[in-house]
Amino acid sequence: MTHPLGGPAPGLPEARGGTGFERIPRGLRAGRQPGVARIALPRCLGYTDRNERAKNRRRMGGMRTRMPAGFTAFREYPMSSTFDTVANIIAETCDIPRDKITPESHAIDDLGIDSLDFLDIAFAIDKAFGIKLPLEQWTQEVNDGKATTEQYFVLGNLCTRIDSLVAAKGA
Amino acid sequence: MRLEYFQLIDRIVALDLDARTIAVDAQVPETSTIFEGHFPGHPLMPGVLLIEAMAQTCGWLLIGLNGFSRMPFLAAVKEAKLRTFVTPGQALSIAGSLVHDGSGFAMAHASVRCDGKAVCEADITFRIVPFPDPSFRTGMEDFARKIGFPLEAIAHG
């Protein structure tokens, strides 16, 4: 995974010289890879084993998606991909530790991102997803009391809106 | 240039709204009170004013792109490099281009050359907001005429 502004995203395998897509040796899988934070999720939260993933691929017409090595064991939700990209942008742009950035984080209240730094984030998001975040419209809605900042600046909500904008672009 | 009045560009020589680029000329004055202090006996065009000149150049590009409907204000300067000294009387050519047109903001790149030689460059961020009042916009339009802004090419918003 490469950061949209250039260079590998910190903490991901290619930041240490790999491509991010190489096969992980068995002994390094599932959380044993140094420098990559892994959380073992139970099946009910989305964990799938190799057989299930192969079955899913067959069901989806043989489509095979290649994910960075650190993410191969997880079901590939579009949302998680969007969140990872956004979180990496925020981590790099604002020098915030990646592990402090969660879908529940409020960009302003929790992460302390000010409006000027958010312009850099918006720039990177616009570029990464080929969209234009409607910041002026959002700001107007918040100022008019028609929306709360949580609806736009809690990262999970932001990612949902990004996904909608990407979908609208492709429609 | 009239440094004391922060008029840092003299003439718009090219404005291409399709390519989103602009080119302007700027003549550094022979004399200015600013040179008395910067520096005594060794007059130099201050680097911060070169950056301002680049910002004004890109600002006119953005005003052209939005048809005088809103005003860009300088918000951030990145990767500013001041490569050579600029002295009184030198003629500068400034080029600006839009890098990203965001919602309420824009990213631009500008560079300055003198006698074909690179002088300085910067990446510049602008916030773009409605004009604070109608007279502000009128004042900008008046100044635009003085510097050869191609008003006829702009569809007023």
Side-chain angles (χ1 to χ4, degrees):
Chain A
M1 181 177 292
T2 300
H3 191 279
L5 292 177
L12 292 179
E14 62 182 330
R16 298 187 302 279
T19 63
F21 294 103
E22 66 271 31
R23 191 175 176 80
I24 315 172
R26 184 171 295 277
L28 290 177
R29 289 182 194 174
R32 288 182 226 165
Q33 195 176 356
V36 177
R38 295 291 308 277
I39 303 166
L41 289 179
R43 189 179 303 264
C44 62
L45 293 181
Y47 178 82
T48 57
D49 64 20
R50 179 193 294 188
N51 291 336
E52 275 185 90
R53 292 199 300 279
K55 203 187 307 174
N56 288 338
R57 276 198 300 276
R58 281 195 297 277
R59 202 164 51 207
M60 296 172 70
M63 186 182 76
R64 184 186 180 93
T65 51
R66 305 180 80 198
M67 291 289 284
F71 296 89
T72 51
F74 294 90
R75 186 174 288 162
E76 296 155 11
Y77 293 109
M79 173 67 194
S80 69
S81 170
T82 302
F83 174 73
D84 289 333
T85 303
V86 170
N88 288 336
I89 286 171
I90 291 173
E92 185 157 313
T93 305
C94 299
D95 201 19
I96 295 170
R98 174 65 180 80
D99 59 4
K100 290 199 185 309
I101 302 168
T102 70
E104 292 76 35
S105 301
H106 190 300
I108 302 164
D109 297 342
D110 297 330
L111 302 178
I113 299 169
D114 70 13
S115 64
L116 184 57
D117 282 336
F118 201 82
L119 295 188
D120 286 330
I121 292 167
F123 170 52
I125 288 174
D126 286 358
K127 286 286 182 192
F129 294 96
I131 57 173
K132 184 169 174 175
L133 289 181
L135 296 182
E136 287 179 296
Q137 179 194 327
W138 293 356
T139 303
Q140 192 65 49
E141 288 174 10
V142 170
N143 289 343
D144 291 346
K146 295 175 181 168
T148 64
T149 59
E150 286 76 12
Q151 290 174 255
Y152 300 120
F153 296 106
V154 168
L155 298 188
N157 296 338
L158 176 64
C159 290
T160 301
R161 291 177 189 280
I162 290 170
D163 288 338
S164 298
L165 289 165
V166 171
K169 184 186 67 168
Chain B
M1 286 184 181
R2 298 171 73 205
L3 301 185
E4 294 78 4
Y5 293 88
F6 252 55
Q7 293 175 7
L8 289 157
I9 65 175
D10 296 323
R11 187 140 204 93
I12 294 173
V13 294
L15 177 65
D16 187 334
L17 297 182
D18 293 327
R20 309 199 295 187
T21 59
I22 189 171
V24 312
D25 285 342
Q27 177 74 39
V28 181
E30 292 285 355
T31 59
S32 165
T33 54
I34 285 175
F35 295 139
E36 294 172 18
H38 193 278
F39 295 92
H42 191 72
L44 289 177
M45 176 77 171
V48 290
L49 293 184
L50 289 171
I51 290 170
E52 173 65 21
M54 291 190 283
Q56 289 188 9
T57 300
C58 293
W60 284 112
L61 170 62
L62 296 173
I63 286 175
L65 288 168
N66 70 37
F68 279 81
S69 64
R70 293 186 299 163
M71 179 71 193
F73 287 96
L74 180 60
V77 180
K78 296 174 192 165
E79 297 294 326
K81 293 181 179 174
L82 307 170
R83 299 181 180 281
T84 65
F85 287 148
V86 174
T87 54
Q90 287 193 301
L92 306 178
S93 299
I94 310 174
S97 61
L98 182 68
V99 173
H100 182 66
D101 177 27
S103 171
F105 72 100
M107 308 286 194
H109 178 78
S111 59
V112 180
R113 301 184 81 81
C114 181
D115 293 329
K117 189 176 170 187
V119 170
C120 59
E121 73 246 11
D123 296 326
I124 305 171
T125 302
F126 295 86
R127 287 186 197 274
I128 303 177
V129 300
F131 281 103
D133 59 70
S135 66
F136 195 140
R137 171 175 164 162
T138 303
M140 293 301 290
E141 288 178 330
D142 290 343
F143 192 72
R145 289 187 191 91
K146 290 180 188 168
I147 59 173
F149 191 100
L151 286 164
E152 68 283 357
I154 305 299
H156 282 228

